[in-house]
Amino acid sequence: MEKKATTLIQVPAVELAVTGSSPPAKIKMPSIGMGTACAAPLPPSDVLVASFLDAVEAGYRHFDTAALYGTEESLGRAVAEAVEKGIVKSRDEFFITSKVWCTDLHPDSVVPALENTLRRLGMEYVDLYLVHWPVSLKKEAAPLGFAKEDIVEFDMKGTWDAMEQCFRRGLCKSIGVSNFGPAKLCQLLRHATVPPAVNQIEMNAGWQQKELVKLCKEKGILVCAWSPLGANGAAWGSFSVMHSSVLKEIADAKGKSVAQVALRWIYQQGAIPIVKSFNKERMRQNLEIFDWELTPDEVSRIEQQIPQQRGFSGEMFVSETGPYKSVDELWDQPFSLPS
């Protein structure tokens, strides 16, 4: 039977504010990304490669990985195969994000960590390199399941200087942060020569982070949203998005899925959702959010009627002997923007 051709979904892009080079660089990031984090045990590499190729064929060009995920090598293979098979013309059609893990968040470890990431990806550069968390672990600590005494002081200035070195050496086209609360973001901006282009945070209809999103917009920092559907399959996730009666009513009225409404809401906030599905049909459905809009009334309902609760607590980074003695300290709560 002849394989039915599928129409490639066109994804709009946003321009990142990348200063620190002369002239300032202009980098475009596709307005939706495919996440590559997987629950343990990690699927075999061939399975991952096939899934990433499915995503490329559906229309994804923005992929989000990290040293912690263990998926960099498989993603690199998928990108190379996509070029080899003629699905895309070159690696330059992709936007690849990776992140430095906490065990390498030391001034002398950041550049080598990115060099290792590039070797695993089989690439000369990543488009965006992020500080995964504002947390440092001892270099010899286990990446996960680490002891509380492995949490050490985070040298923000020294670490960011090393991130800027990665940028200036051309190992990455832009740099940013992930999971930075408002106070930490403001602290970083006070001494950064190259400001973060992105802050990747947990953001969804059930955890909207309005004040942090507002601050990022004011500072010219693009927000990328991880857990855009509430991570309902994860141990720490919830059904606050996918089982929301508000979202379901809107979805039914518009002939859309709950996921599409939730993703469209994020897009209309000026943020970029990082989705993850290895199901081909859902991959395509998640891309079908750009040719329709939520009305102001629908946006208002989402923002006013859905109860708010953080999904991932960050408790693993809290320690009586570490820099964060409470979850509130980790997330910079309470915090008020200057009026």
Side-chain angles (χ1 to χ4, degrees):
M1 181 180 288
E2 185 178 344
K3 185 178 179 181
K4 185 180 178 181
T6 56
T7 304
L8 186 71
I9 298 173
Q10 297 300 314
V11 176
V14 296
E15 195 168 284
L16 289 183
V18 181
T19 58
S21 60
S22 184
K26 292 184 178 180
I27 302 173
K28 289 191 174 180
M29 174 191 277
S31 294
I32 190 168
M34 172 62 73
T36 66
C38 298
L42 193 68
S45 183
D46 287 348
V47 173
L48 290 171
V49 171
S51 294
F52 299 154
L53 280 172
D54 286 341
V56 176
E57 290 182 329
Y60 290 90
R61 297 294 181 267
H62 174 184
F63 287 83
D64 180 272
T65 186
L68 180 71
Y69 299 165
T71 56
E72 290 174 325
E73 185 175 348
S74 298
L75 178 58
R77 282 180 54 198
V79 168
E81 285 192 30
V83 175
E84 184 181 336
K85 292 178 177 179
I87 303 172
V88 297
K89 292 180 180 178
S90 73
R91 179 263 180 265
D92 292 344
E93 291 188 30
F94 289 95
F95 190 101
I96 306 296
T97 298
S98 194
K99 312 177 193 74
V100 54
W101 184 241
C102 305
T103 46
D104 286 317
L105 277 184
H106 307 275
D108 61 345
S109 300
V110 172
V111 173
L114 179 48
E115 290 172 337
N116 288 333
T117 277
L118 294 175
R119 275 193 288 272
R120 289 188 290 268
L121 285 166
M123 297 178 183
E124 296 181 354
Y125 68 91
V126 291
D127 298 273
L128 175 63
Y129 197 45
L130 301 178
V131 173
H132 206 150
W133 284 88
V135 177
S136 287
L137 299 173
K138 292 177 182 177
K139 294 180 182 182
E140 65 275 14
L144 291 175
F146 49 83
K148 293 291 188 181
E149 53 266 26
D150 289 331
I151 304 170
V152 296
E153 201 67 35
F154 175 43
D155 180 358
M156 184 184 294
K157 185 178 186 307
T159 297
W160 193 252
D161 287 346
M163 293 287 288
E164 293 185 358
Q165 187 181 345
C166 291
F167 171 72
R168 294 194 177 95
R169 286 181 53 179
L171 302 177
C172 53
K173 291 191 173 183
S174 57
I175 52 178
V177 296
S178 183
N179 302 304
F180 269 51
K184 294 178 186 65
L185 207 54
C186 290
Q187 180 185 346
L188 175 59
L189 289 170
R190 282 196 289 271
H191 60 68
T193 303
V194 181
V198 164
N199 188 14
Q200 188 180 119
I201 60 174
E202 180 184 1
M203 178 191 176
N204 54 61
W207 185 241
Q208 298 175 13
Q209 302 238 57
K210 292 178 183 178
E211 291 298 296
L212 181 54
V213 171
K214 179 183 176 184
L215 175 65
C216 289
K217 286 182 180 178
E218 290 175 352
K219 302 298 183 182
I221 298 170
L222 183 70
V223 170
C224 286
W226 60 265
S227 186
L229 301 180
N232 56 295
W236 50 267
S238 78
F239 292 101
S240 63
V241 175
M242 297 304 291
H243 288 187
S244 166
S245 59
V246 174
L247 295 178
K248 188 176 187 312
E249 288 173 11
I250 294 171
D252 289 346
K254 301 185 87 68
K256 304 296 180 182
S257 70
V258 169
Q260 287 171 328
V261 170
L263 296 174
R264 178 69 200 192
W265 174 80
I266 291 173
Y267 176 66
Q268 287 188 210
Q269 304 309 299
I272 292 183
I274 306 297
V275 299
K276 196 194 80 174
S277 176
F278 288 169
N279 177 286
K280 288 185 183 182
E281 184 57 32
R282 283 197 292 271
M283 282 183 187
R284 288 188 63 82
Q285 288 176 358
N286 289 341
L287 288 176
E288 294 170 345
I289 63 169
F290 299 111
D291 59 352
W292 55 278
E293 293 183 352
L294 294 168
T295 67
D297 179 64
E298 289 165 341
V299 170
S300 179
R301 288 190 64 198
I302 291 170
E303 295 181 1
Q304 295 178 18
Q305 296 179 14
I306 298 179
Q308 297 296 293
Q309 183 173 347
R310 185 186 301 279
F312 189 79
S313 72
E315 181 67 37
M316 62 192 286
F317 298 122
V318 173
S319 168
E320 291 183 1
T321 59
Y324 309 124
K325 308 294 191 293
S326 69
V327 168
D328 283 347
E329 286 186 8
L330 174 67
W331 297 116
D332 301 333
Q333 299 299 321
F335 180 88
S336 298
L337 294 176
S339 56

